[in-house]
Amino acid sequence: MSRSSGETLELTADVLVIGGGLAGTWAASAARRTGASVILVDKGYCGTSGVTATAGPGHWWIPPDPPELRDTAIRNRRRTGAGLNDPEWMARILARTWESLPTLERFYDFSTDENGVKQYRALRGPEYMRALRKLVDSLGVTVLDHSPALELLQRSDGSVSGSRGIRRQAGGDWQVNAGAVVIATGGTSFLSRLLGSHTNTGDGYLMAAEAGAELSGMEFTTYYTVAPVRSTMTRSMSYAFATYYDEDGAVIPMPPGPETTRPLARAMLKGRVFCDLARTPEDIRAQVPTISPNFMLPFRRWGIDPYKDRFEVTLHGEGTIRGIGGLRIVGEDCATSVPGLYAAGDAATRELVAGAISGGGNVNSAWAVSSGQWAGQGAARHVAANGSASDGRAIGQAGLRPAAARRDVDLGPTLSAIQSEMQPYDKNIFRSGEKLGTPLRYLRVPGRSLMRTQRVLAAVC
């Protein structure tokens, strides 16, 4: 149902999904299949926006037989995650991901191996997101593209009842009255120039916090991705075969395993760091153009052969995109502590599956597929049990209705000040409780609570 009120497009649905990336599209499809009417809003164009659209995402993809395979994977993940992850959640995620990806065959052309067996684990990001857009369209989900959400609607009993935002191309505002809302807005890299993350600015955290939701695991935001200097090409698979050198040409020793961030950051604090990919096996080199088709483009532009030549590298912060933190989950259906509000993908904490270290691309992708569906189904069930949309008031504060006296703020210097505390290696990668006290005091807005300060930071990052 819709009606126009002045310049506001007003719509009603059972479930509203905010965010049209990997988690948001899976959430919308699941809610619709549960029988709910669904509206999805995206600040960009659903099917091309979000970090998945720039990637070659793999998934945590382990067969159910023999059972020891999944049991071993869960034990290993628990060991590396410092025991913060939950084996039952990990088992659920492995099962749901295994069941879900083959259902996309109608819209996605899965590749096959030399024996003709379809390969479901690794997908081509741009085609993956196009397939998911076709899926939600086929199910009758109403999609509002180029329609950023700005604030949630909340009833007097504390439950959410929709959202408001703007229509960037059509003009005017929109309001969706809904019985439940799924936040699938992605994480935030604090505008670190991470590839594909420019629209992942933490706005979902802000909206949910204004409704009373808690954040969890935000201390685990120290993940950085290696990339060539002067480039945002943060496709990290090939760097598993990298050899790193300091300015004098000496090899920088790396520990065994995937954790290279800390030794690289230590070296970069001392001087420039270079690398080559000469150790890459020939079969992997042959697959790179298919797995990550844009990976080689900067090197070709610069006349560099990364398999022979050394090139300078840097680290781009991933914040909560490939970090851990996000909205706290309180139920198996990915409900937050606010009635009627659900979270999925990078907008939600991934501690339950990843533990205290980054889930990387494969675990995080599996989490987005699974949590998206659980959140969508949970939202639909909430509406069935509690009724559909009813009146709620808009609750946006930061940038919309600030409690303190309004004053003009130059966002450029403000953003630079925040990034200077959130992105440097010495302050973030090597953080400690004592070190965090200084930026907290520096960034706190005078006369405002810590929570309000966090909301302001989310609004500008």
Side-chain angles (χ1 to χ4, degrees), residues 89-264:
W89 274 84
M90 289 187 277
R92 292 176 67 215
I93 288 161
L94 286 170
R96 178 54 68 97
T97 305
W98 181 265
E99 297 163 359
S100 300
L101 293 180
T103 66
L104 280 181
E105 285 186 306
R106 178 183 168 194
F107 304 106
Y108 184 90
D109 183 18
F110 289 96
S111 59
T112 58
D113 64 13
E114 62 275 8
N115 298 315
V117 178
K118 288 189 178 180
Q119 301 298 295
Y120 296 108
R121 186 192 69 81
L123 288 82
R124 303 173 296 276
E127 295 171 45
Y128 190 7
M129 290 311 307
R130 283 199 296 272
L132 288 168
R133 174 59 186 257
K134 291 177 182 177
L135 172 63
V136 297
D137 285 343
S138 73
L139 293 171
V141 173
T142 299
V143 179
L144 301 184
D145 294 305
H146 306 291
S147 299
L150 299 181
E151 57 185 330
L152 293 176
L153 308 179
Q154 193 168 32
R155 305 180 183 93
S156 58
D157 64 1
S159 62
V160 298
S161 60
S163 180
R164 288 179 59 87
I166 59 173
R167 308 174 72 197
R168 295 187 61 244
Q169 292 191 339
D173 301 329
W174 59 262
Q175 175 169 320
V176 174
N177 303 301
V181 176
V182 177
I183 297 286
T185 50
T188 178
S189 67
F190 304 101
L191 297 181
S192 70
R193 293 176 54 80
L194 181 74
L195 182 64
S197 74
H198 200 69
T199 58
N200 292 154
T201 52
D203 37 352
Y205 300 149
L206 170 64
M207 289 185 285
E210 288 176 330
E214 299 98 358
L215 298 169
S216 180
M218 299 300 282
E219 63 270 36
F220 304 122
T221 58
T222 59
Y223 193 89
Y224 286 67
T225 302
V226 66
V229 166
R230 299 177 291 132
S231 171
T232 59
M233 190 55 65
T234 50
R235 302 274 70 85
S236 58
M237 184 273 293
S238 294
Y239 291 96
F241 308 102
T243 302
Y244 297 98
Y245 310 86
D246 63 20
E247 288 186 277
D248 297 325
V251 173
I252 300 172
M254 290 290 151
E259 178 49 52
T260 59
T261 299
R262 286 176 173 267
L264 279 177

Side-chain angles (χ1 to χ4, degrees), residues 244-330:
Y244 297 98
Y245 310 86
D246 63 20
E247 288 186 277
D248 297 325
V251 173
I252 300 172
M254 290 290 151
E259 178 49 52
T260 59
T261 299
R262 286 176 173 267
L264 279 177
R266 289 190 185 97
M268 289 177 186
L269 288 171
K270 296 177 182 177
R272 299 163 71 195
V273 171
F274 299 81
C275 110
D276 65 46
L277 306 177
R279 295 189 296 112
T280 308
E282 289 297 331
D283 61 329
I284 299 296
R285 298 186 192 190
Q287 294 177 48
V288 165
T290 300
I291 299 171
S292 297
N294 50 7
F295 176 76
M296 294 294 292
L297 295 180
F299 299 115
R300 289 176 182 151
R301 198 163 59 243
W302 301 328
I304 291 174
D305 182 349
Y307 302 121
K308 295 180 181 178
D309 306 323
R310 295 179 187 178
F311 54 95
E312 189 176 356
V313 293
T314 187
L315 290 170
H316 290 295
E318 297 224 15
T320 61
I321 291 174
R322 239 190 303 206
I324 306 302
L327 295 169
R328 186 169 77 91
I329 298 300
V330 300

